[in-house]
Amino acid sequence: MSENFDVVVIGGGPGGYVAAIRCAQLGLNTVCIDKQVNSGGEPSLGGTCLNVGCIPSKALLDSSEQFHRLNNQFAAHGIQVENVSVDIQKMQNRKEGIVKSLTSGIAQLFKANKIQFIHGAAKVVAGHTVTVTNNDGVLTDTLTAQHIILAPGSTPVELKSMPFNYDTVVDSTGALNFDEVPERIGIIGAGVIGLELGSVWNRLGSKVIILEAMDKFLATADQQVSKEAARQFKKQGLDIRLGAMVKSVEEESGKITLTYSKGEKDHQEVVDRVIVAVGRRPATEGLLSPDCGVSTDSRGFIEVDNNCQTSVENIWAVGDAVRGPMLAHKSSEEGVAVAETIAGGHGHIDFNTVPWVIYTSPEIAWVGKTEAELKEEGVEFRSGSFPFAATGRAKAMEEPIGFVKMIADKKTDRILGVHMVGPHVSELIGECVLAMEFRASSEDLARTIHAHPTLSEAVHEAALAVEKRAIHKVN
Ligand code: FAD
Ligand code: AMP
């Protein structure tokens, strides 16, 4: 095919597919090119997020959480269960079913919005032109466009000292597909992905050892939140070792020896599987021909300004392959903003209000600045916190764990950050994002009626606590 479009979108993940849909809604003739295939080798839209990221991980987190509850929490409710077992294949099939239904949903949305979809690997060449090759490397399409949106996403970082063998040494994708519960798992990296996948297999019965090079646990989160999370993870049996730099992996007779340094000494740990979760890098290899003019930085990230404009006019880039957090909702918001800018509007993204969530148990969520960041910036603030243990709902749910902390500007009372660890906080953070979007003060939230009994009362009480007037705790 050789055709001219208003917009060519490269990548069908949450950055690319959302951009394509918004472009089509705004009347732009749009094509989206994506190379992802599912386990059956068929094209599968939705990118990392739907195929091997957010969705399958949450499916397994939910299944494993049910199992954990059955074994550990039901008794407190007076419910006796015996002979509980897990059918991993069935659990995996459920996960695959969810992925399939969501990815095919994107294909249907493309059809309904008259977006053309081309399966293949795209490359940007000079003259606002994009070439597409199939799996055999054969050129199938040459497209020209007024605008090109790059949304190639990211791929797992591989360590030279321990290359993936996709069987015993795996990336996050491999860790989502284990067909049995390994006895002992070593996870390298205590970031979001390491903690979520570690939780899944720990709950299902593996002994999980997480080795993290940094001395601080969840360094970017509020330090009280990190401390409480670490305490809860320890109780669950997750063995997290900080300051542990993994140096090598050796496999012999199906057993893997991990060598790591901690302090002055080298240590070893023998495991059955290793999950390497040391971060992700932009998937820009082979995407840009040298003459296309789009610049990348030394780590391969596409360089963009605040509006996601690259170094070439009318070539835009969004999502994991550009600066900022590697989060699906951040990618999608950038996609929408770029589509609206292209159509003549004013696309806008507020990077101060991007929520972060870690879907462990308890969940961790935050938006805005931490106290440490504000101290470093010299901003004066007041903060108030409230424990879930003092809310009726968390007690009724048998989950009286964690707290909500709200931080507000000392002079203006404007909310600068909210940090939470506890039950379902992924669902509570939205209220705080909205409050910050609307430039709310802590008093605004404190004077908002929250339904009783709900977990959201902890947010309300944290807002009251900023002024030391929480009702259900001593201030
Ligand atoms: P991607 O989703 O990576 O999509 C890019 C697409 O472009 C892919 O389909 C890729 O094959 C395709 N592509 C790349 N290059 C080309 C090319 N040259 N030609 C054609 N196609 C190309 N984020 C959250 O917000 N919440 C979560 O709970 C969460 N959980 C996660 C769990 C795991 C295990 C992982 C790995 C990630 C998780 N993430 C989560 C991160 C999230 O998946 C990413 O931030 C998000 O998918 C990025 O979207 P994107 O559109 O930028 O890129
Ligand atoms: P994230 O980027 O949030 O997914 O987290 C990845 C984590 O892996 C970071 O906290 C790194 O410090 C950690 N990490 C990277 N390399 C190693 C290594 N060789 N050994 C242990 N931890 C590592």
Side-chain angles (χ1 to χ4, degrees), residues 10-16 33-36 44 46-49 52-54 57-58 120-123 151-154 172 176 193 196-197 280 283 286-287 318-321 326-329 331 357 359:
I10 299 177
I33 307 157
D34 187 89
K35 63 182 180 187
Q36 179 92 28
S44 186
T48 302
C49 171
V52 292
C54 321
S57 60
K58 265 78 256 176
K123 184 176 203 142
S154 61
S172 54
L176 290 168
I193 292 175
E196 290 188 0
L197 293 172
R280 299 180 61 82
L287 173 71
V318 302
D320 280 10
M326 288 187 170
L327 294 168
H329 41 280
S331 302
V357 178
Y359 296 82

Side-chain angles (χ1 to χ4, degrees), residues 8-26:
V8 170
V9 180
I10 299 177
Y17 86 72
V18 170
I21 291 175
R22 188 71 190 118
C23 283
Q25 285 174 344
L26 292 165

Side-chain angles (χ1 to χ4, degrees), residues 43-165:
S44 186
L45 280 161
T48 302
C49 171
L50 265 57
N51 288 284
V52 292
C54 321
I55 299 302
S57 60
K58 265 78 256 176
L60 290 186
L61 276 159
D62 205 76
S63 297
S64 59
E65 177 71 3
Q66 310 280 7
F67 181 64
H68 177 81
R69 287 227 172 108
L70 210 57
N71 284 317
N72 298 284
Q73 285 177 5
F74 273 35
H77 291 268
I79 302 168
Q80 311 296 333
V81 278
E82 277 162 28
N83 301 326
V84 180
S85 65
V86 170
D87 181 339
I88 294 291
Q89 203 46 59
K90 204 162 177 185
M91 195 180 280
Q92 293 289 17
N93 291 346
R94 187 189 88 96
K95 177 200 80 182
E96 288 304 319
I98 295 163
V99 168
K100 183 115 208 216
S101 102
L102 290 172
T103 54
S104 54
I106 307 294
Q108 279 162 18
L109 285 171
F110 271 18
K111 274 199 192 114
N113 282 285
K114 301 194 171 37
I115 297 163
Q116 279 204 46
F117 168 54
I118 300 175
H119 177 65
K123 184 176 203 142
V124 185
V125 297
H128 276 223
T129 300
V130 174
T131 59
V132 186
T133 49
N134 66 14
N135 288 349
D136 302 321
V138 176
L139 179 73
T140 55
D141 302 275
T142 303
L143 315 170
T144 49
Q146 304 295 312
H147 294 269
I148 298 170
I149 303 176
L150 308 172
S154 61
T155 53
V157 168
E158 185 169 24
L159 295 173
K160 275 207 185 89
S161 52
M162 50 201 94
F164 302 129
N165 61 21

Side-chain angles (χ1 to χ4, degrees), residues 159 188-192 211-214 244-246 277-279:
L159 295 173
I188 307 173
V192 177
L211 301 167
E212 166 56 54
M214 298 216 303
M245 169 64 90
V246 181
V278 295

